[in-house]
Amino acid sequence: MDLNFTPEETAFRDEVRAFLKDELPSEVADKVRAGRELTKADMERWHAILNARGWLAATWPKEHGGAGWNAVQRHIFEEECCLASAPRIVPFGLFMLGPVLIKFGSPEQQKAVLPRILDGSDWWCQGYSEPGAGSDLASLKTRAVRDGDHYVINGQKTWTTLGQHANKIFCLVRTSTEGKPQQGISFILVDLDTPGIEMRPIKLIEGGHEVNEVFFTDVRVPAENLVGEENQGWTIAKYLLTHERTNIAGVGFSVQAFEQLKSLAQQVRRGGKRLIDNPLFAARLAQIEIDLEAMKITNLRMLAEAQKNGAPGPESSILKIKGTVIRQALNDLSRRALGPAAAPFPSEDLEGNLAVAPADHARDAARYFNNRKISIFGGSNEIQKNILTKAMLEL
Amino acid sequence: MHFELTDDRRMLADTLNRFLTDTYGIEHRNKVAYEAPFHDPAKWAELAELGPLFALVPEEQGGFGGAGFDIATVFEPLGRALCPEPVLPALMAARLLAAAGEDLEPLLSGATRYAVALGETDAPYALEDIATEAAPAGEGWELTGRKSVVYGGNAAGKFLVAARAGDVIGVYEVDAEDAAVTGYGMIDGGGAAEVFLEKTKARQVLADAGAALQDALDFGALALCAEAVGAMDVTYDMTLDYLKTRKQFGRAIGSFQALQHRMVEMKTEIEQARSITILAASRMGTEEQSRTVSMAKNLIGRAAKLVAEEAIQMHGGIAMTWEYPASHYAKRLVMIDHQLGDTDHHLEKVMAGLQVA
Ligand SMILES: Cc1cc2nc3c(=O)[nH]c(=O)nc-3n(C[C@H](O)[C@H](O)[C@H](O)COP(=O)(O)OP(=O)(O)OC[C@H]3O[C@@H](n4cnc5c(N)ncnc54)[C@H](O)[C@@H]3O)c2cc1C
């Protein structure tokens, strides 16, 4: 048992740190720290910087332009990025579609799509969920009917994250109604410029625009855009789910949020005293620290296991559940720490002299409400518990 | 022993519920609650005409209520409707003005909107921490300091400001136009303001207001508890309804035991919240008023957060949207804990009471 990084891993971490110090634009990091909305340009800029270094596609093999990192390196990179308040890499092209094409795509598809993800020519979004198909994804209804060398798509996708920036969408569509619902699903790539597609914004609880609805009416898509075989989409989706699962615990986010919270509790004063000197508050903070310290090790243990077995097992659901619970608890405590100052609707007007909350914290309540999503999407925590029940309990 | 409301109170609750259901539906509410002036001045006037403000004070001061149960009767319907009208500041101002024996007519008729400016950046909840200073100036007084997150301050004509002259905390009246007031909206709807006072002209209402301020805070906190109970009931109903209608895996999601038990827990906490609010209402005007209100506000803070978070989680993505009303209920329920003392603040007060023999 040795909990320390190897010398190589430590060297890698230092390299990542130095890179972030030199290359991460401070005005972008400032926005991330304060929870302000990033523009499309901010995200593209960061992608380009990472791509220039060859670090954008952490999970792809080198021959496709990826970093070729192992799980521990990816973990180190993700954690360092969080600590430096780097923007999250937009995952849809890089961590979802990329690995799918590398595994299931034709050489032509790989050649046509992968480089354009890396250089930012294309922005992909994920078209899985539908109004009637959330947790029960296999019940999806959006139809794709073969017509000569095209598929004709009709239906609706929803919750499409950052679809407003995207020019492409990868979709799960129904190509057959025979047999079990899982057996009639296909995975297809769609150009959002195709006639018959309409995207509408969905405003979220805290007022932000990050998700959309996408409507498909007689949308003609070339048949060669199908990935893998017809009706093989569920296998692909399941493969992708395991890939979605590497940074699933979000430990980096939590570590960063904890540091910010500790510093906030030192700034906030109640009467003559710092909030961190209030025993009730300090107890809450310490409680989260304990959970987080354990989570770091749970995460590393499962990482090591995944490294050994080639893929994360069902235990990764533990990471998803506990990881999101801890993140949400941190968001909750930051909001509380602010007292009434958490309550104003975030706006540019309330800055400088008029600032009600300490710098970087005007959006803590908004962040708390927005992050209720993390226990809902990517397989809700209830669904994760169902997975664990099946896989572990043998009842 | 019985737990029925008097006929008068039941009628008032019915009237308010009907008025709010008919004219202050969630769409209208969301339209006015998030845009300056963050409430609906026309509806404020109509609401005032129905008389709920008079229910906030006793007959001696020109009202027809003023007891704990009157407050609960008014605020529960407001909570059910997520009503952003500044009734809470009116209640607290009425308590202060009544304590000073002042004329309440302009307030009770709705003609003058008051805001009560207590909290400061470094003193959000505890009265003894406030730093705003009052100094005599000629016939009157001058105030200097900053009052932060003054609920209803964006739409108030007059402020009642807590300020200290030496060790003594008093209450001073300031005209809105004499102060530098910056209004803004709140994340859960409604409005507030920063109030900057710089040798600002003021009238002394109460020289030594410690007891009156605590009383106003107690009544305000009780009102928030009742508001939360109303909002929790609606949120619970909405969630239960959704569990019955939303289908996944070929069945209503309410058929999953994992969710059923959590609905039961939610209901249990709501009933506990209702009970402690009733207890606090019954103890208004007694020696145990403050401590019981603190118990209630603490329990409400915990219950309301549970209800908000569980309602969102059990709805799934839909309750994350602005379009779906539960999201607004959830925001209000969580943010009530940021008003007039949070769970920890009130827990400390209850703890302090443990040491009194
Ligand atoms: C902000 C946000 C961004 C998203 N981004 C995307 C995206 O980019 N692309 C995309 O395709 N999707 C996206 N999603 C959709 C997300 O994956 C779904 O919200 C999620 O799958 C849950 O589905 P649902 O919202 O329909 O809830 P439902 O499936 O209706 O679930 C409602 C409730 O029932 C529970 N439940 C369901 N089944 C069971 C069961 N068997 N046992 C116990 N409890 C159960 C759930 O856990 C939940 O609590 C996003 C969602 C959100 C909120």
Side-chain angles (χ1 to χ4, degrees):
Chain A
M1 193 84 55
D2 179 1
L3 297 191
N4 295 311
F5 284 142
T6 62
E8 295 78 41
E9 287 162 351
T10 308
F12 176 71
R13 189 198 59 198
D14 293 344
E15 192 187 349
V16 172
R17 256 185 212 173
F19 167 79
L20 288 165
K21 194 159 161 278
D22 295 342
E23 300 283 343
L24 174 61
S26 60
E27 43 312 352
V28 177
D30 289 346
K31 280 191 187 177
V32 172
R33 200 171 308 110
R36 288 208 295 274
E37 208 168 306
L38 295 175
T39 62
K40 183 180 185 185
D42 289 332
M43 295 185 255
E44 288 179 329
R45 183 175 171 197
W46 180 233
H47 282 195
I49 291 169
L50 288 172
N51 192 40
R53 179 67 184 253
W55 285 0
L56 181 58
T59 56
W60 302 8
K62 277 215 160 97
E63 62 267 32
H64 289 292
W69 287 333
N70 64 31
V72 174
Q73 285 174 305
R74 288 204 302 263
H75 165 77
I76 291 173
F77 178 73
E78 279 155 6
E79 183 159 303
E80 291 302 321
C81 283
C82 286
L83 286 174
S85 298
R88 193 179 72 118
I89 294 173
V90 182
F92 309 108
L94 286 153
F95 301 142
M96 298 187 186
L97 182 58
V100 160
L101 288 182
I102 289 165
K103 173 99 178 163
F104 299 95
S106 66
E108 295 74 36
Q109 285 171 334
Q110 294 175 350
K111 238 174 78 199
V113 178
L114 296 178
R116 292 175 60 85
I117 295 178
L118 286 177
D119 70 14
S121 308
D122 290 331
W123 186 306
W124 287 89
C125 59
Q126 181 195 23
Y128 278 23
S129 305
E130 299 180 3
S135 299
D136 182 13
L137 186 58
S139 70
L140 62 91
K141 288 205 173 66
T142 297
R143 279 303 305 255
V145 177
R146 185 71 185 243
D147 178 23
D149 47 12
H150 282 80
Y151 284 96
V152 182
I153 302 182
N154 278 286
Q156 184 195 342
K157 293 295 174 182
T158 190
W159 304 118
T160 319
T161 298
L162 298 184
Q164 70 266 35
H165 299 326
N167 62 332
K168 309 265 184 183
I169 183 167
F170 56 90
C171 292
L172 291 180
V173 290
R174 180 151 305 284
T175 37
S176 164
T177 48
E178 313 266 296
K180 285 195 356 188
Q182 287 83 347
Q183 286 162 0
I185 292 172
S186 297
F187 189 106
I188 196 165
L189 310 178
V190 181
D191 200 320
L192 283 168
D193 291 335
T194 320
I197 299 181
E198 193 199 341
M199 187 163 320
R200 293 186 204 151
I202 299 175
K203 190 170 166 184
L204 284 186
I205 180 167
E206 83 295 346
H209 174 202
E210 66 182 55
V211 296
N212 304 270
E213 304 178 280
V214 191
F215 297 87
F216 296 81
T217 315
D218 296 331
V219 176
R220 296 183 68 82
V221 177
E224 71 247 29
N225 285 17
L226 197 77
V227 176
E229 312 270 306
E230 197 174 272
N231 298 331
Q232 199 198 4
W234 193 251
T235 313
I236 299 179
K238 273 174 49 186
Y239 171 80
L240 209 162
L241 265 181
T242 57
H243 260 268
E244 237 184 301
R245 230 154 244 234
T246 50
N247 185 24
I248 200 166
V251 168
F253 293 115
S254 290
V255 171
Q256 208 273 341
F258 181 75
E259 291 308 320
Q260 263 188 299
L261 174 56
K262 219 165 51 177
S263 130
L264 176 66
Q266 285 160 359
Q267 287 172 65
V268 169
R269 294 190 159 265
R270 300 268 164 94
K273 279 164 73 181
R274 302 179 310 166
L275 185 59
I276 203 164
D277 297 323
N278 174 307
L280 287 182
F281 190 86
R284 291 184 188 280
L285 195 56
Q287 202 71 77
I288 295 189
E289 184 179 14
I290 293 166
D291 288 346
L292 181 53
E293 284 303 304
M295 182 84 247
K296 285 186 199 167
I297 300 301
T298 308
N299 192 40
L300 290 173
R301 280 173 54 212
M302 293 192 180
L303 213 70
E305 197 67 18
Q307 188 118 302
K308 221 161 56 190
N309 301 337
E315 304 80 16
S316 65
S317 289
I318 291 178
L319 297 179
K320 166 86 200 301
I321 297 166
K322 197 65 193 179
T324 53
V325 167
I326 290 175
R327 274 176 75 186
Q328 290 177 335
L330 284 160
N331 291 147
D332 175 49
L333 204 51
S334 305
R335 171 179 59 65
R336 282 160 184 261
L338 291 167
F345 203 103
S347 90
E348 307 286 321
D349 300 345
L350 294 180
E351 279 170 12
N353 228 0
L354 283 175
V356 179
D360 289 346
H361 290 280
R363 284 165 176 77
D364 282 7
R367 185 162 13 198
Y368 160 83
F369 287 115
N370 181 274
N371 265 348
R372 299 314 302 174
K373 72 188 173 193
I374 65 181
S375 49
I376 296 172
F377 66 23
S380 73
N381 284 11
E382 290 74 25
I383 295 300
Q384 305 297 338
K385 287 179 187 171
N386 287 347
I387 293 172
L388 287 169
T389 303
K390 273 214 196 86
M392 296 190 318
L393 303 188
E394 295 175 11
L395 287 171
Chain B
M1 188 186 311
H2 73 93
F3 291 95
E4 311 302 320
L5 284 180
T6 61
D7 288 346
D8 287 352
R9 289 186 183 128
R10 177 164 306 285
M11 265 168 57
L12 177 61
D14 288 348
T15 310
L16 271 176
N17 275 324
R18 206 170 321 117
F19 169 76
L20 292 165
T21 314
D22 292 351
T23 77
Y24 225 122
I26 189 74
E27 274 173 33
H28 180 73
R29 183 270 173 190
N30 286 347
K31 200 164 134 257
V32 299
Y34 295 102
E35 256 174 43
F38 307 108
H39 76 123
D40 180 342
K43 287 272 185 301
W44 166 263
E46 286 176 46
L47 182 67
E49 246 165 64
L50 292 179
L53 300 179
F54 288 92
L56 305 180
V57 290
E59 272 175 55
E60 307 88 87
Q61 273 106 30
F64 57 72
F69 290 113
D70 297 307
I71 309 308
T73 301
V74 170
F75 280 85
E76 205 175 303
L78 294 173
R80 294 186 67 86
L82 283 189
C83 182
E85 297 302 324
V87 184
L88 179 68
L91 163 65
M92 293 174 67
R95 298 298 301 183
L96 292 172
L97 292 173
E102 302 216 352
D103 177 18
L104 290 182
E105 176 57 28
L107 185 155
L108 297 180
S109 68
T112 304
R113 274 196 303 268
Y114 282 83
V116 176
L118 308 179
E120 299 171 5
T121 308
D122 291 346
Y125 300 137
L127 277 179
E128 58 271 22
D129 295 338
I130 67 171
T132 296
E133 287 185 359
E139 300 280 276
W141 292 77
E142 282 177 353
L143 304 186
T144 299
R146 172 184 179 171
K147 292 293 179 182
S148 193
V149 195
V150 177
Y151 279 82
N154 60 303
K158 285 186 193 294
F159 289 92
L160 296 180
V161 181
R164 61 171 68 247
D167 284 345
V168 185
I169 295 180
V171 169
Y172 300 82
E173 185 182 88
V174 171
D175 278 345
E177 49 219 45
D178 290 331
V181 178
T182 309
Y184 46 80
M186 307 304 270
I187 193 152
D188 54 336
E194 298 301 287
V195 181
F196 296 89
L197 305 160
E198 177 74 55
K199 299 206 162 155
T200 303
K201 197 171 75 181
R203 180 177 73 81
Q204 190 176 60
V205 176
L206 286 164
D208 183 349
L213 281 167
Q214 186 55 53
D215 177 74
L217 280 172
D218 290 345
F219 271 82
L222 172 69
L224 287 171
C225 292
E227 183 190 342
V229 169
M232 283 193 277
D233 280 339
V234 175
T235 309
Y236 173 84
D237 289 345
M238 222 182 273
T239 308
L240 184 56
D241 201 46
Y242 194 75
L243 292 199
K244 288 177 182 165
T245 47
R246 170 70 170 172
K247 286 206 170 69
Q248 290 288 278
F249 304 99
R251 48 205 268 216
I253 56 173
S255 68
F256 298 122
Q257 205 165 46
L259 302 187
Q260 290 169 355
H261 284 192
R262 283 156 63 184
M263 281 308 286
V264 172
E265 278 169 27
M266 203 201 243
K267 181 70 174 165
T268 307
E269 292 310 312
I270 294 174
E271 290 312 320
Q272 286 282 89
R274 196 186 323 282
S275 296
I276 200 97
T277 304
I278 290 172
L279 182 69
S282 77
R283 291 201 175 147
M284 300 312 278
T286 74
E287 269 183 14
E288 287 162 295
Q289 166 177 313
S290 288
R291 187 156 190 263
T292 314
V293 165
S294 280
M295 288 181 174
K297 190 68 172 44
N298 169 274
L299 197 158
I300 289 284
R302 292 182 282 132
K305 178 172 120 81
L306 176 94
V307 170
E309 291 181 349
E310 288 286 76
I312 294 177
Q313 183 68 26
M314 288 195 272
H315 272 89
I318 188 84
M320 285 294 301
T321 67
W322 188 275
E323 182 85 16
Y324 192 76
S327 66
H328 300 278
Y329 279 87
K331 283 186 285 186
R332 182 69 196 126
L333 284 173
V334 167
M335 298 315 291
I336 279 178
D337 199 44
H338 293 247
Q339 262 178 289
L340 306 183
D342 63 7
T343 46
D344 283 356
H345 173 81
H346 287 288
L347 186 60
E348 280 175 345
K349 297 205 141 204
V350 178
M351 284 160 66
L354 286 172
Q355 292 171 14
V356 180

